[in-house]
Amino acid sequence: MTVWDDLVGQEKVSAVLDAAARDADALVTAAAADEPPPTASKMTHAWLFTGPPGAGRNQAARAFAAALQCVSPDRALGGVPGCGFCDGCHTALLGTHADVTTVAAVGSEILVKDMRDTVRKSFTSPANGRWQIILVEDAERLNEKSANAVLKAVEEPAPRTVWLLCAPSVEDVLPTIRSRCRHLTLRTPSVEAVADMLVRRDGIEPEVAASAARATQGHVDRARRLATDPAARERRAAVLKLPLRLDEVGACLRAAQELVDAAAEDARQLAEEMDGKETEELKAALGAAQGGRLPRGTAGVIKDLEDMQKRRRTRTQRDSLDVALGDLTAFYRDVLALQLGTRVAIANADAGEALERLARAGAPESTLRRIEAVSACREALDRNVAPLLAVEAMTMALRAG
């Protein structure tokens, strides 16, 4: 099993990255022998991965990082980079490789203070790997200052440094940065491809895998979670019942509160799993004894960690809300398809009775207005509007039609 096996429906992208990883070997070999680099190489120092949510931008970038760090013995015999089993591949895929640094947005933005150490590290030689790799998972969240810091590093990179940037679209990245990157576009994988992956890789029953893939419309991560997590299926079922409950103002406000509370509970559960562990690890690194006091002058470091964790909880809540809003959008899209009598495949076949009921009760124009109301809510959340206010405005608009 190679690292490319995780890229569902991305055969062209996998082929490009595989060729680049092979040429990267030639660059490393030439540098070790103090020879001039090959003149025609598919490898470059900066890459930009774009594509819709669920297409696997981050997975593609991480698979490429693993292929670049692959140390399989078969490589000397012409083996394919990215075996998936060697120490280089394994640690790169897990995110523990010393020479693969991952940057992800904790809050709504990647701040310049979060990038300083990473940019500084990008100018150093690999510690024990073949390349120094910087993977920015949310490049669209770079603010002006942090983007400028990345630009300076991408303009004049170290010889063995590779930048891997991931964003929804090219327009989400500064023109000065994207012009220095090789651009790869990933597409949404087919429902059939995602279902097949869930059966092969996760051992999911074919019917469950097909239902999850269809419900998420090819979103790989969400399909896997829906197929493997009963709580996720329960939350989705609750969201799909919401349109039938909005018969009065009080019901709209209660539904909005329940959506926000469910998202907050998701964030709380994630915080319980991560925050305590991070805090204890940092205290140990600072020299605090088990249960003892922190050394003098380290309170500011703990405060910075707490601020980061707070921003992460806020983003997790908004991301969870966005998943629910995506489910609502797909639901009303199915209603519209029934009203128009189109041949578009129904994503939420398990909610067929509710779809038929709403399709008969309204007109396509009102369904379009409801889809627009959900989109407006998502935009409001992106602008940091208070979640409860944004969701209440949406539920009221859904009731009005």
Side-chain angles (χ1 to χ4, degrees), residues 39-76:
T39 55
S41 175
K42 296 181 177 65
M43 182 60 186
T44 186
H45 72 284
W47 298 75
L48 175 58
F49 298 82
T50 66
R57 301 186 300 262
N58 296 340
Q59 290 88 340
R62 191 164 294 282
F64 186 39
L68 292 176
Q69 303 289 21
C70 182
V71 291
S72 168
D74 293 340
R75 300 288 296 280

Side-chain angles (χ1 to χ4, degrees), residues 122-338:
S122 74
F123 290 106
T124 63
S125 298
N128 51 32
R130 302 166 70 85
W131 296 87
Q132 184 73 261
I133 299 173
I134 311 297
L135 197 169
V136 183
E137 292 188 345
D138 307 289
E140 76 279 8
R141 295 180 184 266
L142 292 165
N143 63 20
E144 183 179 356
K145 291 183 179 179
S146 57
N148 286 334
V150 170
L151 174 60
K152 292 177 181 178
V154 172
E155 280 182 326
E156 300 176 0
R160 297 272 292 279
T161 294
V162 182
W163 284 83
L164 309 177
L165 309 179
C166 304
S169 70
V170 175
E171 289 72 22
D172 291 317
V173 181
L174 278 179
T176 47
I177 293 180
R178 67 188 189 225
S179 65
R180 290 165 172 79
C181 299
R182 183 171 182 186
H183 179 212
L184 291 178
T185 302
L186 285 78
R187 60 187 182 88
T188 301
S190 68
V191 170
E192 293 75 18
V194 175
D196 179 65
M197 179 272 297
L198 292 175
V199 173
R200 287 187 297 102
R201 302 295 302 279
D202 299 284
I204 306 298
E205 291 295 326
E207 289 186 3
V208 176
S211 176
R214 186 171 58 248
T216 56
Q217 292 295 284
H219 193 300
V220 178
D221 291 337
R222 287 184 56 200
R224 178 179 281 118
R225 185 177 184 187
L226 199 61
T228 58
D229 185 359
R233 292 195 291 272
E234 290 177 6
R235 283 193 294 271
R236 174 177 170 271
V239 170
L240 297 186
K241 292 177 182 177
L242 182 144
L244 299 178
R245 299 171 47 198
L246 308 178
D247 52 353
E248 58 181 23
V249 172
C252 293
L253 300 181
R254 284 192 297 273
Q257 186 69 63
E258 289 171 10
L259 273 181
V260 173
D261 288 347
E265 178 64 17
D266 265 0
R268 185 190 66 78
Q269 290 179 3
L270 178 65
E272 285 183 352
E273 295 173 6
M274 300 182 65
D275 290 2
K277 181 180 178 181
E278 288 176 343
T279 301
E280 291 304 317
E281 288 177 350
L282 179 59
K283 287 181 178 180
L286 293 174
Q290 185 72 26
R293 298 181 61 181
L294 287 168
R296 186 185 301 274
T298 59
V301 180
I302 296 295
K303 179 65 167 57
D304 288 343
L305 176 63
E306 291 173 348
D307 290 342
M308 182 275 291
Q309 291 171 342
K310 183 178 179 181
R311 285 187 285 135
R312 183 172 62 202
R313 284 193 294 272
T314 299
R315 186 189 172 190
T316 301
Q317 180 180 2
R318 292 177 186 272
D319 286 349
S320 180
L321 267 178
D322 192 67
V323 170
L325 297 178
D327 289 336
L328 271 180
T329 300
F331 180 89
Y332 283 115
R333 166 192 168 277
D334 288 345
V335 172
L336 184 63
L338 291 177

Side-chain angles (χ1 to χ4, degrees), residues 1-7 17 56-70 81-102 133 135 137 164 201:
M1 182 187 71
T2 69
V3 296
W4 314 117
D5 291 342
D6 283 334
L7 306 187
L17 295 176
R57 301 186 300 262
N58 296 340
Q59 290 88 340
R62 191 164 294 282
F64 186 39
L68 292 176
Q69 303 289 21
C70 182
C83 65
F85 296 102
C86 70
D87 184 65
C89 287
H90 185 65
T91 54
L93 291 174
L94 287 179
T96 58
H97 196 291
D99 295 315
V100 179
T101 302
T102 302
I133 299 173
L135 197 169
E137 292 188 345
L164 309 177
R201 302 295 302 279

